Amino acid sequence: MTLKANWEVVGSPIDPDSDERLFFTDHEWETVEAATARIIPTDGDPGAKEARVVVFIDRYLSGIGYIFAAADGSGFLKLTGKFADAWRSRMYDMQRTYREGLRHLDTIANEEAGQDFKALAEQDQDRVLEIVSGRPKPTRVTLGASDSVGTFLQGVFDQGLPFFDALCLHTCQGFYCDPVYGGNRDQVGWKMIGFPGPKSLKDTMDGTYDTHAYFEPEYDWNDLIPHLAEQQ
């Protein structure tokens, strides 16, 4: 079976400075902003709050209007037909996951500290997130390694994830995404890891930005694939 879609471009890039709520209530927005700020906190570098991760998550959960950015960054692809139906179903499930998860977050916060999550001190928020996740607060993450409390690097697929895992994944996506999706304001996520990304998606299409400078100009296949040299 072949699925067809009308790839009409609609809308415009998301404004990361917008405070308009498309999915979250005011209380939910403030709770998500507080929770994501504990997942990627502000320290010597900007964190999730400065990157406007909450805007990214709100737009993502709002329906099917902000799923795939157009290749030139001018707007978003309009989903139709079975593509649209599939994404609506997926978003319905994730919307419910967030609504129920945020209520549970406040329930635990009130049981533990007598206030909603967003009103708690940072150390109390961390404790609530530990309870909700069922895991201790993770230590420093190293690529390809797990620590004693089971820290791991997630994939990019959120379908079926419980609330806390989805929140962590979406926080990372909002922090490192292309700014067209509403997060990574002023490219703070890219700057933190030293990635000189394009100023806009359009720059990746017209040759303004390319990755040629990061390719090794000269190399020896024997150095890249040592076992080939052993077979000669």
Side-chain angles (χ1 to χ4, degrees):
M1 179 175 65
T2 301
L3 299 179
K4 296 183 178 180
N6 175 20
W7 299 122
E8 177 186 354
V9 177
V10 295
S12 59
I14 299 170
D15 177 9
D17 292 314
S18 174
D19 286 319
E20 181 183 9
R21 282 70 158 149
L22 298 189
F23 172 70
F24 292 131
T25 64
D26 288 350
H27 179 78
E28 289 171 338
W29 178 286
E30 292 163 3
T31 302
V32 168
E33 187 170 51
T36 58
R38 299 311 305 144
I39 295 170
I40 302 182
T42 304
D43 45 30
D45 295 297
K49 185 173 183 179
E50 290 77 17
R52 300 291 283 168
V53 165
V54 66
V55 177
F56 165 82
I57 299 177
D58 178 76
R59 281 10 179 209
Y60 174 67
L61 292 174
S62 67
I64 63 172
Y66 299 99
I67 303 301
F68 299 119
D72 63 359
S74 61
F76 289 81
L77 302 183
K78 181 179 180 180
L79 302 184
T80 61
K82 294 187 181 295
F83 274 117
D85 293 341
W87 271 101
R88 285 193 186 97
S89 176
R90 179 175 175 179
M91 285 298 100
Y92 174 81
D93 291 341
M94 189 53 64
Q95 288 171 349
R96 184 173 59 182
T97 294
Y98 263 81
R99 287 260 146 86
E100 293 175 354
L102 290 171
R103 285 196 295 268
H104 181 58
L105 197 66
D106 275 339
T107 296
I108 298 300
N110 277 280
E111 290 175 352
E112 291 292 312
Q115 292 180 296
D116 287 341
F117 180 86
K118 68 180 185 179
L120 299 182
E122 291 179 351
Q123 63 269 24
D124 293 325
Q125 291 178 340
D126 289 349
R127 175 58 185 154
V128 171
L129 291 176
E130 286 183 312
I131 295 171
V132 170
S133 70
R135 300 186 293 270
K137 182 178 178 179
T139 56
R140 189 177 185 88
V141 176
T142 301
L143 183 63
S146 295
D147 63 17
S148 60
V149 298
T151 297
F152 64 95
L153 299 180
Q154 292 176 298
V156 297
F157 195 57
D158 62 9
Q159 192 163 6
L161 288 181
F163 167 69
F164 181 77
D165 290 354
L167 180 65
C168 287
L169 175 60
H170 295 154
T171 299
C172 291
Q173 290 175 333
F175 191 72
Y176 294 112
C177 69
D178 189 283
V180 71
Y181 289 97
N184 192 15
R185 179 174 60 179
D186 297 329
Q187 301 184 356
V188 296
W190 291 353
K191 290 174 183 175
M192 192 177 75
I193 61 174
F195 172 57
K199 293 182 179 179
S200 71
L201 281 180
K202 181 178 181 296
D203 290 348
T204 68
M205 300 296 294
D206 62 12
T208 301
Y209 175 85
D210 66 53
T211 58
H212 180 75
Y214 305 101
F215 284 85
E216 180 65 36
E218 296 181 5
Y219 55 83
D220 187 319
W221 281 107
N222 292 325
D223 293 332
L224 296 177
I225 312 176
H227 76 268
L228 291 181
E230 295 174 0
Q231 296 174 2
Q232 293 179 0

